[in-house]
């Protein structure tokens, strides 16, 4: 099954027209004709089955014939991750985290961050592509990038963790995780969080954790954290 994405479709939509680029792909590449079936999601859990009615390369029109809502996971995961020096590494993290299962992502600029600028439009496209590839009907929320000092002032709910490399009293993330919980995990830049940032997180009730004995790259640490949460919720 190939999944298309468009946020404008709602559960009351009866007919839908695809934009030109997707219309051309449907008609020229997929060779869809009148009566052929397409699957569409709006990123909010709905899966729509649609029948092609007008296979036009400029404006392919389809009629919704059925709909269903994908069950939500019984946990919510929010990862706040510092952008990596090499942009493609962060994009890899976004793709894999979406495939594994994540609800929201916040890029945070830290004291030791080397990258202070991101391209949210490109990040959004990667999230959408990964959602479609993994046949997931929930699109992760990409929050606005912000400085760590701004992010940490928010009110947080659920279980809170900060992964860092300082030689302090830390527990293993996998031992601290509990299933069916809302979870926020902070992952720092290549130079790690600063002492001040760690202290600020602890003051906001974040628990310090380790992700293992190896020193991990930012994007690897984020994926380890994401998979750990998914794994504990499969039990």
């Amino acid at each position: 099954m190939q999944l298309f994405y468009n946020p404008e479709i709602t559960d009351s939509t009866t007919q839908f027209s695809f934009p030109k680029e997707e219309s051309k792909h449907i008609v020229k590449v997929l060779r869809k004709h009148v009566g052929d079936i397409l699957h569409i999601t709006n990123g909010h859990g709905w899966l729509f089955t649609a029948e092609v009615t007008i296979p036009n390369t400029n404006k392919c029109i389809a009629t919704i014939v059925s709909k269903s809502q994908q069950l939500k996971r019984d946990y919510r995961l929010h990862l706040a991750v510092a952008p990596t020096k090499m942009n493609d590494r962060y994009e890899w993290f976004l793709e894999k985290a979406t495939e594994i299962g994540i609800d929201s992502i916040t890029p945070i600029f830290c004291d030791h961050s080397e990258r202070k600028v991101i391209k949210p439009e490109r990040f959004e496209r990667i999230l959408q592509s990964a959602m479609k590839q993994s046949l997931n009907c929930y699109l992760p929320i990409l929050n606005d990038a912000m400085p760590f000092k701004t992010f940490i002032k928010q009110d947080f709910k659920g279980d809170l963790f900060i992964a860092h490399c300082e030689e302090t009293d830390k527990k293993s993330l996998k031992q601290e995780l509990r299933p069916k919980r809302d979870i926020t995990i902070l992952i720092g830049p290549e130079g790690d969080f600063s002492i001040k940032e760690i202290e600020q997180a602890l003051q906001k009730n974040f628990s310090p954790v380790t992700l293992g004995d190896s020193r991990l790259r930012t994007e690897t640490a984020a994926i380890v954290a994401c998979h750990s949460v998914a794994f504990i919720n499969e039990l």
Side-chain angles (χ1 to χ4, degrees):
M1 182 177 78
Q2 181 165 6
L3 189 61
F4 291 88
Y5 165 70
N6 194 289
E8 297 179 3
I9 300 180
T10 69
D11 57 345
S12 61
T13 300
T14 57
Q15 195 174 68
F16 176 74
S17 59
F18 290 88
K20 184 175 181 179
E21 184 176 343
E22 285 191 331
S23 295
K24 185 176 180 180
H25 180 74
I26 291 168
V27 178
K28 290 292 187 180
V29 179
L30 300 181
R31 299 183 182 279
K32 296 294 185 180
H33 303 284
V34 173
D36 286 343
I37 295 299
L38 301 172
H39 297 93
I40 316 163
T41 184
N42 61 1
H44 297 290
W46 284 101
L47 176 63
F48 302 93
T49 300
E51 186 178 281
V52 176
T53 52
I54 302 178
N56 187 288
T57 55
N58 291 319
K59 189 177 181 180
C60 179
I61 298 176
T63 300
I64 305 297
V65 295
S66 67
K67 61 188 177 184
S68 61
Q69 191 159 34
Q70 195 176 75
L71 290 176
K72 277 190 173 183
R73 293 186 295 273
D74 49 14
Y75 70 92
R76 291 187 62 80
L77 173 60
H78 177 197
L79 286 183
V81 185
T84 52
K85 182 179 179 181
M86 302 299 292
N87 210 39
D88 60 338
R89 294 186 180 277
Y90 204 86
E91 294 173 0
W92 178 85
F93 146 66
L94 293 173
E95 178 183 78
K96 301 310 173 188
T98 302
E99 293 177 11
I100 295 168
I102 192 170
D103 298 282
S104 57
I105 300 152
T106 304
I108 50 174
F109 302 125
C110 303
D111 290 342
H112 297 158
S113 291
E114 294 188 61
R115 178 176 290 277
K116 299 289 187 178
V117 178
I118 65 166
K119 297 179 179 180
E121 296 82 8
R122 179 171 171 79
F123 285 180
E124 282 285 359
R125 290 196 296 271
I126 290 170
L127 293 175
Q128 293 169 16
S129 178
M131 176 191 66
K132 293 187 292 183
Q133 188 277 329
S134 57
L135 301 182
N136 189 351
C137 292
Y138 289 96
L139 180 67
I141 297 170
L142 178 65
N143 297 311
D144 292 338
M146 64 183 71
F148 178 89
K149 62 182 179 181
T150 301
F151 175 85
I152 205 65
K153 292 178 181 178
Q154 302 176 80
D155 292 326
F156 299 97
K157 297 180 180 180
D159 295 345
L160 312 174
F161 302 102
I162 178 170
H164 65 80
C165 300
E166 290 295 323
E167 294 297 331
T168 60
D169 183 25
K170 294 178 291 186
K171 296 182 179 179
S172 170
L173 176 64
K174 68 177 182 179
Q175 294 176 347
E176 294 296 296
L177 288 174
R178 294 177 291 175
K180 300 181 181 181
R181 302 281 295 183
D182 290 348
I183 299 169
T184 299
I185 305 176
L186 310 183
I187 305 292
E190 283 88 340
D192 203 5
F193 290 110
S194 66
I195 298 298
K196 180 181 179 181
E197 289 168 336
I198 295 172
E199 291 175 348
Q200 289 175 325
L202 297 183
Q203 290 172 5
K204 295 289 288 189
N205 297 317
F206 279 81
S207 299
V209 293
T210 175
L211 300 176
D213 296 331
S214 299
R215 188 177 182 91
L216 305 177
R217 288 181 179 272
T218 295
E219 71 278 9
T220 308
I223 292 301
V224 169
C226 184
H227 182 263
S228 296
V229 173
F231 181 78
I232 201 70
N233 279 280
E234 290 178 354
L235 302 179

